[in-house]
Amino acid sequence: MNESETISIAVPVHNAEAFLAPTLDALTAQTYRNLEIILVDDASTDASARICAEYAARDSRIRLIRKSVNQGQGAARNDALRIASGSCIGFCDSDDLPDRDMFEKLYSLLTDSGADIAVCSFRTWRGKRRSGNFSSPQILSPEEAVLQILADDTFGAFSWNKLFRADLLKRTGEFPSFGYEDLAFIPRVCAEAGRIVRTGEDLYYYRQHPGSVTCSPFNPWKMNLLKAYNLLLPDLLSRFPDRSARIYGKAWFDMMGLFNSILRSGKEYPEEMRIVLKRAAEYRAKTSLRETPSFWKGVAFALALRLPGLYRRLFRLLH
């Protein structure tokens, strides 16, 4: 393979000592060798800074940024993007494992198709494959890609299962500095692309563990989901006005997922619950059950909006 183009890989790191070394081993062992691996130590208080420095000392492809104040993944990714020299840019979380040939395969898809973004499927820590229902690569328009983000969580509003042309990322803007930065930014990048290529092959191990955002119990930090939609919705609605019901359907489901997270915590968050249900009702009024990711979940969520007390009792009984 021609490796004349450099791929920059941004890795935000914060207190990841339990998983960091295997992640860096997987990145430095990539079959595509012309890499620039940018580690952003986001003011870690554990051994992460030492591990990053050790790997940087023995691999000249690694660049290390150290921050004195923790600012979150979005700001860390932006720091990496500002110094990235590659014509293509990928991302990796510091507790995940890309396959050894992930970036080689994504780069081949990107160059062979002339696309701006290449997307792969992934698997989770339970061993479950999160793969699309297709056998050969798909070529998607920006609208098709956004619709897949809204309806198919194997595509997802993730940064780490994609390889981007650097000029596309940089002209779209920056990740926001609050939580759920991927959700607020990645769909907008896909909407800005010329074309997107997607493979059903799972090339990334998304390690979900008790300390990860998706597995952690509800806490007020998760209310950043509302900020993400405040930023994302106006952009998508202006680009794809004919798809407004589908866009609001996904937003409604995500609000109800946040509501369920509050219930699952077993703790009382009355103000957060009131805010989430109010926003969910606003989105529900602008969509229909046919435009949501799941009709029957939509029926259950509609019950939650009409009879939240009954829904809470049923939820706690079942869970």
Side-chain angles (χ1 to χ4, degrees), residues 41-43 67-72:
D41 174 34
D42 195 17
K67 304 179 68 170
S68 58
V69 177
N70 175 249
Q71 295 179 307

Side-chain angles (χ1 to χ4, degrees), residues 156-175:
F158 313 118
S159 56
W160 39 254
N161 69 329
K162 300 172 178 68
L163 182 64
F164 304 85
R165 283 291 176 187
D167 60 346
L168 168 66
L169 273 179
K170 292 177 180 180
R171 74 169 181 262
T172 304
E174 292 189 332
F175 289 90

Side-chain angles (χ1 to χ4, degrees), residues 44-319:
S44 296
T45 57
D46 65 359
S48 295
R50 175 181 57 79
I51 295 169
C52 288
E54 289 174 353
Y55 275 82
R58 62 177 183 252
D59 193 321
S60 61
R61 299 173 300 169
I62 295 177
R63 302 178 67 181
L64 177 57
I65 299 174
R66 286 178 172 164
K67 304 179 68 170
S68 58
V69 177
N70 175 249
Q71 295 179 307
Q73 283 202 133
R77 289 181 178 138
N78 292 334
D79 290 335
L81 290 179
R82 291 185 193 105
I83 69 167
S85 64
S87 57
C88 301
I89 296 176
F91 299 88
C92 183
D93 284 357
S94 58
D95 52 357
D96 293 344
L97 293 173
D99 288 3
R100 290 183 68 251
D101 56 357
M102 172 179 168
F103 288 101
E104 178 183 351
K105 288 183 174 180
L106 289 182
Y107 180 75
S108 292
L109 284 170
L110 203 67
T111 55
D112 291 348
S113 65
D116 294 314
I117 307 171
V119 185
C120 69
S121 295
F122 58 95
R123 56 196 179 277
T124 68
W125 71 285
R126 293 184 178 91
K128 183 178 180 181
R129 297 181 69 247
R130 305 299 295 273
S131 304
N133 186 25
F134 54 93
S135 55
S136 57
Q138 295 180 334
I139 301 295
L140 306 173
S141 68
E143 181 175 358
E144 289 169 333
V146 169
L147 289 176
Q148 290 203 13
I149 289 175
L150 297 176
D152 182 356
D153 63 3
T154 67
F155 186 105
F158 313 118
S159 56
W160 39 254
N161 69 329
K162 300 172 178 68
L163 182 64
F164 304 85
R165 283 291 176 187
D167 60 346
L168 168 66
L169 273 179
K170 292 177 180 180
R171 74 169 181 262
T172 304
E174 292 189 332
F175 289 90
S177 58
F178 52 79
Y180 293 96
E181 69 285 340
D182 274 358
L183 174 63
F185 185 59
I186 296 301
R188 292 160 53 209
V189 177
C190 290
E192 189 72 20
R195 54 166 41 183
I196 300 93
V197 60
R198 182 186 180 192
T199 176
E201 190 174 2
D202 58 296
L203 302 174
Y204 190 90
Y205 175 28
Y206 175 36
R207 194 199 301 268
Q208 296 171 300
H209 55 85
S212 62
V213 171
T214 53
C215 293
S216 63
F218 176 83
N219 62 71
W221 178 92
K222 291 195 173 186
M223 296 295 286
N224 282 308
L225 181 64
L226 281 72
K227 288 185 180 180
Y229 271 109
N230 287 343
L231 188 60
L232 176 64
L233 287 178
D235 187 87
L236 293 188
L237 292 169
S238 67
R239 292 176 186 270
F240 311 113
D242 294 340
R243 300 294 188 175
S244 63
R246 179 70 58 87
I247 293 167
Y248 280 119
K250 170 63 172 172
W252 172 41
F253 263 46
D254 281 357
M255 290 302 114
M256 296 310 299
L258 186 57
F259 177 63
N260 283 350
S261 177
I262 296 174
L263 295 181
R264 196 176 294 114
S265 73
K267 298 179 181 179
E268 294 297 324
Y269 293 96
E271 182 62 14
E272 287 82 358
M273 187 174 292
R274 182 191 67 78
I275 293 170
V276 169
L277 286 178
K278 182 176 184 293
R279 182 69 64 86
E282 292 172 1
Y283 293 158
R284 170 67 182 95
K286 298 175 181 178
T287 189
S288 69
L289 295 179
R290 294 188 305 274
E291 297 290 348
T292 61
S294 167
F295 178 87
W296 292 110
K297 278 188 178 181
V299 171
F301 291 160
L303 172 65
L305 291 179
R306 292 190 177 191
L307 300 168
L310 175 61
Y311 182 86
R312 290 174 67 177
R313 290 194 293 273
L314 290 173
F315 186 93
R316 286 169 176 166
L317 179 65
L318 294 172
H319 292 81

